[in-house]
Amino acid sequence: MAADGPLLPADERLGAAIRTSGIPSGPAEFFADLGNLQVALPVLAAVLAYVTWRTRHWLPATTAALTMALVPAVVAPLQHLLARPGPPPMAPATGFYPSGHAATAAVAYGICALLLARRELIYGCAVLNVAVGIGLVRQGYHWPADVLGSWCLAVLLITGLAQLLSRYGRQPDGDG
């Protein structure tokens, strides 16, 4: 799907429909920017510092930081290998699948929600990431499949982190 296949035309049609929709450009750009490393990493760092201070345990923050470090380590080679062309505003450049911005937002904010372990944060994280994805597509930075692929990667990374933390007897929020 990322570079070729029967779903590619549908992905391109959906991307074009979102790009030309009535979604305002200003808010779309704001949400797209929430996937920038310069925005997501300070938020994650603040949560990691808080969790470490609150729990006096370094394992959750350390494993979370390592999980976040996996994002560019996995995304960049996939982008290079698949070399998917970007949407018309970005074409003919390649390397858009999966979206690094969508993966950064999903993993960084997902880790925050996991470590703080509050249901409303999990719901908020999901809504925020949908807004980031729509913003990325609306602004013409990515195709919808680029964003969906990043979300799948994020689920794998965050699930792995949650399992690792639960294996070593720590609740995600560090209580106990």
Side-chain angles (χ1 to χ4, degrees), residues 48-57:
L48 297 181
Y50 169 76
V51 168
T52 302
W53 171 78
R54 182 171 173 248
T55 65
R56 308 287 190 249
H57 294 285

Side-chain angles (χ1 to χ4, degrees), residues 2 4 10 12-13 33 38 45 55-56 67 69-71 87 94 97 106 113 117 131 133 143 165 168 171 176:
D4 194 17
E12 292 175 352
R13 279 193 305 276
D33 286 346
Q38 298 88 338
T55 65
R56 308 287 190 249
T67 300
L70 288 173
V71 172
T94 62
Y97 182 92
W143 299 106
L165 291 174
Y168 290 100
Q171 294 297 321

Side-chain angles (χ1 to χ4, degrees), residues 47-119:
V47 169
L48 297 181
Y50 169 76
V51 168
T52 302
W53 171 78
R54 182 171 173 248
T55 65
R56 308 287 190 249
H57 294 285
W58 57 268
L59 180 64
T62 302
T63 54
L66 291 172
T67 300
M68 189 68 216
L70 288 173
V71 172
V74 173
V75 169
L78 283 173
Q79 288 176 332
H80 180 73
L81 178 68
L82 296 172
R84 182 177 189 190
M90 305 302 285
T94 62
F96 287 83
Y97 182 92
S99 166
H101 285 81
T104 296
V107 173
Y109 305 133
I111 288 172
C112 292
L114 173 71
L115 293 178
L116 295 173
R118 303 219 18 211
R119 181 172 290 148

Side-chain angles (χ1 to χ4, degrees), residues 19 86-90 96 135-143:
R19 269 192 320 281
M90 305 302 285
F96 287 83
L136 289 167
V137 175
R138 163 57 181 89
Q139 295 302 96
Y141 300 139
H142 284 284
W143 299 106

Side-chain angles (χ1 to χ4, degrees), residues 98-159:
S99 166
H101 285 81
T104 296
V107 173
Y109 305 133
I111 288 172
C112 292
L114 173 71
L115 293 178
L116 295 173
R118 303 219 18 211
R119 181 172 290 148
E120 58 273 11
L121 289 178
I122 294 169
Y123 297 140
C125 176
V127 170
L128 177 66
N129 277 289
V130 167
V132 168
I134 290 170
L136 289 167
V137 175
R138 163 57 181 89
Q139 295 302 96
Y141 300 139
H142 284 284
W143 299 106
D146 303 346
V147 173
L148 291 174
S150 295
W151 289 346
C152 292
L153 171 64
V155 167
L156 291 173
L157 291 173
I158 294 169
T159 300

